[in-house]
């Protein structure tokens, strides 16, 4: 492993200039013209981001700092004040030498900024001066840096300059000092294409376009809105079986028709069923269902028998509604359930071809977009990859380490950074992504620990922009959309897992929501620079203690259980998986049923609904008071361990008691009583009291719940037919 790391660093040496390299060999950063004489800049200034450039307009040299975007006509002096935050130099330390007598007027800001500051210019948001990100910047070091990361400060004859204090988050939701106990077999470098902001921007535009196509197809063919979050769950379900080369867009799947998308769209036909609280709502819902079923069967190519059954039941229901005005809510719900049982199979059979056409069309567009993206991406690389044979698996056992890319990263374009209060804003070509300063500092630490090809942090901002853009695109553009895919356990639970069961690794996480610095994630091409060990389904540990809290997609959870069984069967070393899944019982999920019947199950416990919390999936941008929320369903905790793992990390009563105590919500911590999304319920519920929802018709919620909108009662439009007598599986069987 050490030889691979050294090889990667040597490969980058030709691209990455060292601090001692003369600027003439690097080329000026902002001007295409080069000077024949090397700039007379000491190493300290080069490390601080200064470089000498040539102004074509003024026909003389100037000095530019790539960290602070500051331009000076005169040679910069270490320790001089920041002209943006302190224009008069009141807080600047006195510098020795002739340059200390230079006036502030001789230090000029960039011409573009001067032209923008006119009487007609708009008032800008207050922006704090950015702190240099490079770890080699003199006088600046990130908070909580390890001793081995500290570098020798250059000795200068000037008075010590008061460096800006590093940002320290008020509350920390991670512990990056915990070392891993996960052991794997040494892996070859991955053949993923390195991330590039241009490609990420194009991918975001294509995914947005694909979402729009999906919305239009549902409206044109079935007259319904696409089920909430169904596109996000389609991405998850497809990536379980996808063999394509794009990290986000599916392009090589078998079967082409997605069971997840087909099931969710079919459950909303002929209309979407929602939570019912009052009698009048139940009456209207029953009438709408009968009317929509009759209209649909008349407009489609249905068999005479189907037309007869549906029309007779619909007309009988409408006649009953006109005749009986004293029925209760329970009567209306019973009648709706009977109508669905009678008409559902016929409506499903009629809509089958149309819904399959929607699924097929979306997949074909995704494959085309993926091919187009890869061609553009290959054109940006200096050395396009060649088709190489798969290298044999190594036999040496090592502690797990981040994924390494075999293809060197090209030079990346510049990404602008500024801070607005406690939010870091990164902009590329007008597209801005945001992250709070605490998580920005976390990404900096993860990058320092994991990245080996960029010791001077020259590509850090570009890669952070790609990371944030990727997850933003996967979540979707709706309010709180997709955040359930990133829900995480509370910090006290992670502390108890580590202390009592030796857990040091997360099987489903991301650089944004991880607690440990070692984790599996969905996008190894960009997450690898921040500590990812790759997707869990391709991760094969030999020993270790792991936490698994997957996105609640049925296909993904089922593949996860299969992978658990294979790993526990093969290994004789201590191996333990503590799994957190929703306790859906009506009907139970296949993954939960399989784990409960597994011979590796050592213990199972249940955490009741509304008595425990999760961390929000949008924790990197949400407010502090929105960080935690109560779970609206029970959570099943299962301990899957082989014999050696059970002997080392067995679930004893004392350990389980501490884990349950850690799950109790803290009374001093603010939390939302609802999950960020619509609560799913059975339309046949006889009372108006909200109940903990069972498994949704789409087969997915998230640890966050499962819902992704704070307006539970108003926007609870997800179908609940799976928790009734006619489940999605029954509909599929009827087809």
């Amino acid at each position: 492993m050490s030889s691979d790391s050294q090889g990667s660093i040597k490969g980058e040496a030709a691209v990455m200039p060292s601090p001692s390299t003369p600027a003439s060999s690097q080329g000026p950063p902002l001007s295409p013209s080069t000077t024949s004489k090397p700039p007379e800049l000491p190493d300290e200034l080069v490390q601080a981001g200064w470089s000498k450039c040539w102004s074509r307009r003024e026909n003389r040299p100037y000095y530019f700092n790539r960290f602070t975007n500051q331009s000076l006509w005169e040679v910069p002096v270490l320790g001089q004040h920041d002209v943006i935050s302190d224009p008069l130099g009141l807080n600047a330390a006195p510098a020795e030498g002739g340059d200390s007598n230079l006036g502030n007027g001789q230090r000029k800001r960039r011409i573009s900024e001067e032209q923008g500051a006119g009487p007609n210019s708009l008032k800008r948001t207050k922006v704090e001066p950015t702190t240099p990100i490079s770890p080699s910047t003199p006088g600046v070091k990130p908070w909580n840096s390890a001793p081995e990361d500290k570098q020798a400060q250059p000795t200068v004859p000037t008075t010590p300059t008061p460096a800006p204090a590093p940002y320290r988050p008020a509350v920390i939701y991670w512990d990056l000092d915990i070392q891993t106990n996960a052991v794997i077999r040494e892996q070859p470098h991955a053949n993923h294409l390195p991330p590039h902001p241009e490609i990420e921007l194009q991918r975001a535009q294509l995914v947005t376009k694909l979402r729009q196509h999906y919305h239009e197809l549902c409206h044109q063919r079935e007259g319904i809105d696409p089920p909430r979050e169904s596109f996000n769950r389609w991405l998850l379900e497809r990536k379980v079986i996808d063999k394509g080369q794009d990290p986000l867009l599916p392009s090589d799947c078998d079967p082409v028709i997605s069971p997840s998308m087909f099931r969710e769209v079919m459950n909303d036909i002929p209309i979407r069923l929602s939570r019912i609280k009052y009698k009048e709502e139940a009456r209207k819902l029953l009438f709408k269902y009968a009317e929509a079923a009759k209209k649909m069967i008349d407009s489609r190519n249905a068999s005479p028998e189907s037309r007869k059954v549906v029309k007779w039941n619909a007309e009988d229901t409408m006649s009953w509604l006109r005749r009986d005005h004293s029925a209760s809510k329970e009567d209306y719900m019973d009648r709706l359930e009977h109508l669905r049982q009678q008409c559902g199979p016929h409506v499903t059979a009629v809509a089958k071809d149309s819904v399959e056409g929607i699924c097929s069309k979306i997949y074909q567009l995704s494959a085309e977009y993926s091919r187009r993206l890869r061609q553009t991406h290959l054109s940006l690389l200096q050395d396009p990859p060649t088709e190489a044979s798969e290298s044999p698996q190594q036999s040496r056992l090592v502690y797990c380490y981040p994924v390494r890319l075999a293809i060197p990263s090209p030079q990346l374009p510049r990404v602008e950074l500024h801070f607005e209060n406690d939010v870091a804003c990164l902009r590329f070509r007008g597209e801005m992504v945001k992250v709070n300063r605490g998580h920005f500092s976390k990404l900096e630490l993860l990058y320092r620990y994991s990245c080996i090809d960029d010791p001077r942090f020259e590509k850090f901002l570009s890669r952070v922009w790609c990371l944030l853009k990727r997850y933003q695109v996967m979540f979707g553009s709706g309010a709180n959309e997709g955040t359930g895919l990133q829900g995480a356990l509370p910090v006290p639970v992670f502390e108890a897992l580590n202390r009592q069961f030796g857990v040091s690794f997360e099987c489903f996480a991301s650089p944004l929501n991880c607690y440990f610095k070692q984790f599996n994630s969905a996008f190894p091409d960009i997450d690898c620079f921040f500590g990812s060990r790759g997707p869990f389904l391709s991760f094969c540990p030999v020993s270790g203690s792991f936490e698994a809290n997957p996105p609640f997609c049925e296909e993904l959870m089922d593949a996860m259980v299969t992978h658990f069984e294979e790993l526990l069967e093969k290994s004789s070393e201590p191996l333990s998986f503590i799994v957190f899944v929703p306790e859906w019982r009506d009907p139970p999920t296949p993954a939960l049923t399989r784990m409960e019947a597994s011979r590796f199950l050592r213990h199972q416990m249940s955490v009741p609904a509304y008595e425990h919390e999760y961390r929000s999936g949008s924790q990197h941008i949400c407010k502090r008071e929105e960080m935690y929320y109560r779970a609206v369903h029970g959570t099943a905790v299962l301990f899957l361990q082989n014999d050696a793992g059970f002997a080392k990390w067995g679930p004893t009563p004392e350990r389980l008691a501490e884990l349950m105590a850690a799950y109790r919500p803290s009374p001093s911590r603010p939390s939302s009583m609802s999950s960020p999304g619509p609560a799913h319920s059975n339309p046949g519920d006889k009372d108006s009291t909200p109940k903990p929802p069972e498994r949704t018709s789409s087969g997915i919620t998230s640890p966050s719940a499962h819902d992704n909108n704070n307006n539970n009662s108003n926007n609870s439009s997800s179908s609940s037919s799976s928790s009734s007598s006619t489940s999605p599986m029954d509909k599929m069987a009827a087809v």
Side-chain angles (χ1 to χ4, degrees):
M1 182 169 62
S2 60
S3 61
D4 293 341
S5 301
Q6 294 173 2
S8 299
I9 296 175
K10 290 178 182 179
E12 287 292 324
V15 179
M16 199 170 356
S18 63
S20 60
T21 305
S24 59
S25 62
Q26 302 174 18
L30 294 183
S31 175
S33 62
T34 57
T35 58
S36 58
K37 297 181 181 180
E40 298 176 357
L41 290 178
D43 290 344
E44 292 82 1
L45 291 178
V46 174
Q47 293 177 0
W50 290 101
S51 57
K52 187 175 181 180
C53 308
W54 184 261
S55 173
R56 292 184 176 180
R57 177 175 178 178
E58 301 293 335
N59 198 24
R60 60 169 172 161
Y62 69 96
Y63 301 89
F64 173 73
N65 191 305
R66 56 191 171 89
F67 295 139
T68 62
N69 293 340
Q70 183 180 356
S71 300
L72 300 178
W73 290 121
E74 306 299 334
V75 179
V77 180
L78 281 177
Q80 74 177 40
H81 67 277
D82 192 309
V83 296
I84 300 178
S85 62
D86 187 17
L88 299 181
L90 300 179
N91 298 325
E96 299 180 4
D99 291 340
S100 61
N101 298 325
L102 295 176
N104 291 331
Q106 296 180 356
R107 296 184 172 91
K108 180 181 177 183
R109 292 184 64 183
R110 301 197 57 164
I111 298 175
S112 60
E113 296 181 3
E114 290 185 348
Q115 293 175 348
N120 298 326
S121 61
L122 297 175
K123 183 178 180 180
R124 296 183 178 180
T125 307
K126 181 180 179 181
V127 177
E128 299 179 18
T130 59
T131 303
I133 300 302
S134 171
S136 59
T137 304
V140 178
K141 64 183 182 67
W143 64 273
N144 197 23
S145 58
E148 60 269 20
D149 295 329
K150 298 180 180 178
Q151 300 190 4
Q153 302 296 325
T155 57
V156 292
T158 59
T159 305
T161 305
Y167 180 80
R168 296 177 183 271
V171 182
I172 300 178
Y173 301 97
W174 52 86
D175 189 348
L176 306 183
D177 295 330
I178 296 177
Q179 301 301 319
T180 184
N181 56 17
V183 177
I184 61 172
R185 298 194 181 276
E186 194 171 5
Q187 300 291 322
H189 288 192
N191 290 322
H192 305 296
L193 299 182
H196 196 286
E198 293 281 1
I199 299 301
E200 210 57 50
L201 181 59
Q202 186 177 350
R203 179 179 288 113
Q205 295 169 349
L206 292 176
V207 173
T208 302
K209 188 176 179 181
L210 193 62
R211 288 179 184 271
Q212 293 173 351
H213 277 298
Y214 179 46
H215 189 275
E216 293 170 359
L217 286 173
C218 289
H219 264 284
Q220 293 171 359
R221 298 194 179 188
E222 301 301 334
I224 61 172
D225 289 329
R228 183 176 176 82
E229 300 275 356
S230 61
F231 188 87
N232 299 334
R233 289 187 282 269
W234 174 77
L235 289 175
L236 277 178
E237 181 263 332
R238 294 280 88 183
K239 296 309 290 183
V240 173
I241 60 175
D242 184 37
K243 300 178 182 178
Q245 297 174 315
D246 190 87
L248 183 59
L249 290 170
S251 59
D252 186 7
C253 300
D254 186 24
V256 172
I257 306 299
S258 165
S260 172
M261 180 177 286
F262 179 86
R263 183 171 62 238
E264 293 196 43
V265 175
M266 194 67 75
N267 284 335
D268 281 2
I269 295 175
I271 64 170
R272 176 177 298 174
L273 302 179
S274 58
R275 179 192 296 260
I276 297 302
K277 291 186 177 181
Y278 305 107
K279 169 184 172 180
E280 289 303 319
E281 292 179 351
R283 179 184 176 89
K284 290 180 181 179
L285 185 64
L286 176 58
F287 179 80
K288 287 182 178 179
Y289 188 93
E291 186 180 38
K294 181 180 178 182
K295 182 179 178 181
M296 183 176 181
I297 209 71
D298 286 338
S299 61
R300 302 293 178 93
N301 187 19
S303 64
E305 181 65 22
S306 296
R307 290 179 185 274
K308 179 180 178 181
V309 171
V310 173
K311 292 181 70 173
W312 186 89
N313 281 278
E315 291 173 356
D316 181 66
T317 300
M318 292 180 182
S319 175
W320 178 79
L321 286 172
R322 287 190 294 266
R323 183 175 62 252
D324 191 348
H325 296 279
S326 60
S328 64
K329 173 192 168 184
E330 289 74 15
D331 294 334
Y332 289 127
M333 300 311 297
D334 288 341
R335 190 80 184 197
L336 175 61
E337 186 63 31
H338 173 75
L339 184 62
R340 292 178 61 221
Q341 290 180 358
Q342 297 297 319
C343 301
H346 302 283
V347 170
T348 300
V350 168
K352 176 178 179 291
D353 292 340
S354 176
V355 176
E356 286 184 347
I358 294 175
C359 300
S360 177
K361 181 66 175 178
I362 294 300
Y363 172 76
Q364 291 169 3
L365 288 174
S366 175
E368 172 61 23
Y369 292 164
S370 173
R371 183 190 61 80
R372 191 187 309 173
L373 272 175
R374 184 167 180 83
Q375 290 179 352
T376 307
H377 203 163
L378 291 174
S379 66
L380 291 178
L381 297 179
Q382 298 172 350
D383 299 320
T386 57
E387 295 294 333
S389 58
E390 191 138 335
S391 40
Q393 182 151 1
Q394 308 295 324
S395 58
R396 190 163 62 130
L397 295 178
V398 295
Y399 285 107
C400 69
Y401 55 92
V403 173
R404 305 297 185 202
L405 300 186
I407 305 171
S409 177
Q411 291 292 339
L412 300 181
R414 178 182 168 191
V415 170
E416 299 175 0
L417 166 70
H418 70 272
F419 293 99
E420 297 177 0
N421 298 325
D422 284 338
V423 177
C425 304
L426 295 90
R427 184 189 299 273
F428 175 73
R429 293 192 180 277
E431 291 286 331
M432 180 183 292
V433 293
K434 297 183 179 181
V435 61
N436 63 51
R437 295 189 68 172
H439 281 76
F440 185 77
S441 301
K442 173 190 179 183
L443 293 177
E444 184 181 353
L445 282 178
L446 288 172
Y447 194 80
R448 180 189 304 278
Y449 292 146
S450 307
C451 181
I452 63 173
D453 70 342
D454 186 25
R456 295 182 62 196
F457 279 48
E458 293 175 339
K459 302 173 183 176
F460 173 72
L461 292 181
S462 297
R463 287 170 174 170
V464 170
W465 187 91
C466 292
L467 172 77
L468 295 174
K469 194 65 178 177
R470 177 77 60 82
Y471 282 95
Q472 181 189 77
V473 170
M474 185 185 74
F475 286 171
S477 57
N480 293 320
E481 183 180 359
T483 56
L485 302 177
Q486 285 279 93
L489 300 178
V491 171
V493 176
F494 273 116
E495 292 174 346
L497 289 174
N498 174 254
R499 186 168 54 251
Q500 298 298 324
F501 300 98
V503 174
S504 65
F505 195 103
E506 297 169 76
C507 297
F508 299 91
S510 76
L512 299 173
N513 75 341
C514 65
Y515 179 81
F516 306 108
K517 64 183 177 183
Q518 45 273 341
F519 55 90
N520 292 125
S521 66
F523 307 119
D525 62 317
I526 180 61
D527 294 346
C528 67
F529 299 106
F530 302 91
S532 173
R533 273 59 172 169
F536 173 70
L537 297 181
S538 59
F539 181 72
C540 299
V542 176
S543 69
S545 183
F546 301 84
E547 175 266 353
N549 180 25
F552 296 164
C553 166
E554 284 193 9
E555 291 78 10
L556 176 59
M557 290 194 294
D558 200 45
M560 173 194 72
V561 176
T562 301
H563 196 51
F564 283 157
E565 298 276 352
E566 293 175 354
L567 295 175
L568 292 168
E569 189 74 42
K570 291 179 181 178
S571 178
S572 59
E573 300 295 324
L575 190 58
S576 169
F577 296 98
I578 304 179
V579 191
F580 298 79
V581 293
E583 196 167 16
W584 290 325
R585 296 294 182 185
D586 187 18
T589 59
L592 181 58
T593 304
R594 290 179 58 193
M595 285 190 288
E596 289 177 336
S598 173
R599 72 182 185 90
F600 297 106
L601 179 66
R602 305 297 179 174
H603 185 77
Q604 178 179 353
M605 69 180 194
S606 177
V607 187
Y610 299 103
E611 295 184 13
H612 62 293
E613 297 176 328
Y614 283 98
R615 269 186 299 145
S616 171
S618 59
Q619 58 183 272
H620 59 288
I621 52 175
C622 72
K623 299 178 181 178
R624 183 176 175 183
E625 56 269 19
E626 299 173 355
M627 181 65 68
Y628 286 93
Y629 57 85
R630 298 290 175 92
V632 297
H633 62 74
T635 297
V637 184
L638 302 100
F639 294 77
L640 302 179
Q641 300 168 330
N642 60 8
D643 293 337
F646 178 66
K648 187 172 184 179
W649 300 300
T652 62
E654 295 78 13
R655 291 173 172 174
L656 294 173
E658 180 163 347
L659 179 60
M660 285 297 293
Y663 242 130
R664 296 193 188 99
S666 173
S668 61
R669 184 172 60 218
S671 64
S672 171
M673 282 300 295
S674 61
S675 308
H680 307 291
S681 66
N682 187 351
D685 288 344
K686 300 295 189 273
D687 53 30
S688 58
T689 305
K691 297 180 179 179
E694 300 297 339
R695 180 160 60 99
T696 63
S697 60
S698 61
I700 177 172
T701 49
S702 58
S704 336
H706 346 222
D707 301 76
N708 292 318
N709 191 338
N710 288 327
N711 303 324
N712 276 342
S713 59
N714 296 332
N715 296 330
S716 57
S717 55
S718 294
S719 172
S720 53
S721 56
S722 67
S723 43
S724 64
S725 59
T726 305
S727 67
M729 307 302 179
D730 297 331
K731 283 195 172 187
M732 296 287 290
V735 174

